[in-house]
Amino acid sequence: MKTLQQVLNQKTHQGIISIAPNRPVYDALVILAEYKIGALAVIRDGVLVGIFSERDYAREIVLKGRSSKTTRISEVMTEKVITGKPDELVESAMSTMLEKRFRHLPVVDNGKMLGMLSIGDILKETISYQQELIKQLENYIHS
């Protein structure tokens, strides 16, 4: 099974899509729509300080009747972010994401964010690994 760094290396978009905590939520929504993603890293002075997701928007803006144009990201972002390490195996990350019930995992090494993986990225890699394993077992059986 691959490491998180190997999965990050395979992604077509290598850049980190982020937003500053002092920006309005509306700006985050524009970025999410533009890149067709579900979450943004919230970065201040080069350091990951939170994550803002569609889930945060639904729970903290829509359901509470707040304005996305006047509410700042820092007011509604998830601050306690679980991160993965580049040498962590996909299987371990998937277990953590499923157990803790979150869909976006920033990969961080020595305080520096390397990228973000979604549960879709993790599942895609897991399925690919299992398909390859099945193929190898079938070849072994037939030889």
Side-chain angles (χ1 to χ4, degrees), residues 7-34:
V7 177
L8 278 175
N9 292 344
Q10 290 178 319
K11 288 187 75 160
T12 55
H13 184 274
Q14 292 297 315
I16 296 170
I17 303 170
S18 66
I19 193 161
N22 64 335
R23 302 298 304 158
V25 169
Y26 182 83
D27 291 358
L29 297 175
V30 170
I31 295 168
L32 292 173
E34 179 181 340

Side-chain angles (χ1 to χ4, degrees), residues 9-135:
N9 292 344
Q10 290 178 319
K11 288 187 75 160
T12 55
H13 184 274
Q14 292 297 315
I16 296 170
I17 303 170
S18 66
I19 193 161
N22 64 335
R23 302 298 304 158
V25 169
Y26 182 83
D27 291 358
L29 297 175
V30 170
I31 295 168
L32 292 173
E34 179 181 340
Y35 287 94
K36 297 180 172 99
I37 55 176
L40 289 172
V42 182
I43 296 181
R44 179 189 304 124
D45 300 325
V47 177
L48 178 69
V49 295
I51 191 168
F52 176 78
S53 69
E54 295 166 326
R55 190 178 281 180
D56 294 319
Y57 176 71
R59 291 177 179 171
E60 297 298 325
I61 302 295
V62 175
L63 290 179
K64 293 183 179 178
R66 297 168 91 172
S67 168
S68 61
K69 292 197 177 192
T70 59
T71 305
R72 303 279 166 223
I73 293 291
S74 59
E75 298 174 53
V76 296
M77 69 184 185
T78 300
E79 293 182 49
K80 294 180 181 177
V81 180
I82 297 171
T83 62
K85 296 181 185 302
D87 60 348
E88 183 177 350
L89 294 178
V90 167
E91 183 178 42
S92 171
M94 183 171 64
S95 293
T96 301
M97 293 172 84
L98 292 173
E99 178 186 327
K100 303 287 184 185
R101 301 183 57 79
F102 64 93
R103 297 179 287 190
H104 299 90
L105 180 69
V107 180
V108 177
D109 188 27
N110 294 321
K112 182 177 189 271
M113 185 167 163
L114 304 176
M116 178 103 67
L117 294 174
S118 70
I119 192 69
D121 297 325
I122 298 295
L123 289 173
K124 180 179 172 185
E125 180 54 41
T126 300
I127 290 167
S128 175
Y129 173 76
Q130 290 175 346
Q131 287 174 336
E132 184 59 33
L133 191 59
I134 289 168
K135 191 184 301 181

